[in-house]
Amino acid sequence: MTLLHDVYAALSGTVQQLGDEEQWVVTGCTGWTVRDLVWHLHADAVRGLVAAHTPARRPADCDAVAYWRSWGSDPRADDRTRRLTRVEAGLHEFSVLRERYLEAAAAASRAVSALPDDEVVATQGHAIRAADLASTLAVEATLHHGDLVAHLEGSPAGPTASGLAEVRHVVEALLPAVLPGWSDERVALVGTGRAAPTPEEREALGDARLPVFS
């Protein structure tokens, strides 16, 4: 739960500093500008807030790693979501997008962090322990924090070290492979398709399929 608090606090600090002049800058998410990504981040914070108040009333059927296994398995649905995000983001002034994200992120962080680790909640068709829910939220926020600052000027602060370490844990578990000598940031970028592996990295990965999720 400390992980989620720290990751959300760092990302919110970066979003708080964004203004109209940055809203059209491209991000590390293909086809999305800063304003589109902020709206997507808002949606994921709302996911966490809703999950925190939705008891599953059944045993957990996935954990912090298994949650990602089916991600990206429906390219048409993913493409539709990307298009809808752009449309929805276009309905609001950037200041509104920013404030809605900051409000939802703060509420989600408080709500999820207040749950007992072993409480099972419902999210996106899954039943998942609260501690594992916190990991999924932290992993997505960490990756998108990197996406958000990828092309911004002024060297804004990137994702937290603890968030990148959690992404590494998930990526290596999904591969499955341990990648000694790789930085946490490199594991996150290559493992989620944000960077192509070098020939040496490809050799180290062996037959592993990439990305493990995007």
Side-chain angles (χ1 to χ4, degrees):
M1 299 307 184
T2 300
L3 168 70
L4 179 63
H5 175 272
D6 292 347
V7 166
Y8 265 33
L11 178 54
S12 293
T14 296
V15 172
Q16 178 71 61
Q17 298 175 40
L18 299 174
D20 288 347
E21 61 275 15
E22 288 93 17
Q23 66 176 314
W24 298 112
V25 174
V26 298
T27 69
C29 293
T30 302
W32 278 357
T33 63
V34 164
R35 63 176 5 260
D36 303 321
L37 183 49
V38 169
W39 186 244
H40 174 73
L41 291 168
H42 167 266
D44 202 53
V46 170
R47 173 177 82 86
L49 185 59
V50 171
H53 294 88
T54 309
R57 298 189 173 89
R58 58 189 174 95
D61 58 33
C62 74
D63 60 20
V65 175
Y67 171 83
W68 298 103
R69 286 205 171 98
S70 62
W71 205 257
S73 58
D74 189 341
R76 288 188 178 181
D78 292 344
D79 186 53
R80 183 168 60 252
T81 297
R82 283 190 287 268
R83 293 198 309 271
L84 287 174
T85 296
R86 293 219 72 181
V87 171
E88 292 167 350
L91 299 175
H92 308 281
E93 297 292 334
F94 182 66
S95 60
V96 174
L97 300 177
R98 183 185 60 229
E99 294 310 310
R100 286 193 179 183
Y101 164 71
L102 294 171
E103 180 180 60
S109 180
R110 287 193 298 269
V112 175
S113 296
L115 296 172
D117 285 0
D118 289 333
E119 183 165 339
V120 181
V121 298
T123 186
Q124 296 183 321
H126 294 294
I128 190 170
R129 293 173 59 251
D132 291 320
L133 169 69
S135 170
T136 69
L137 294 167
V139 164
E140 181 151 8
T142 296
L143 290 170
H144 285 325
H145 193 160
D147 293 331
L148 188 67
V149 303
H151 302 289
L152 290 176
E153 296 181 355
S155 301
T160 65
S162 59
L164 288 169
E166 184 67 9
V167 174
R168 183 190 195 114
H169 164 71
V170 172
V171 168
E172 289 186 331
L174 289 170
L175 280 171
V178 176
L179 301 171
W182 294 44
S183 69
D184 290 350
E185 182 178 16
R186 192 63 184 166
V187 171
L189 291 172
V190 175
T192 62
R194 286 164 168 78
T198 65
E200 294 78 10
E201 289 171 341
R202 183 69 264 181
E203 183 177 355
L205 288 164
D207 297 329
R209 178 185 64 84
L210 291 175
V212 292
F213 65 91
S214 59

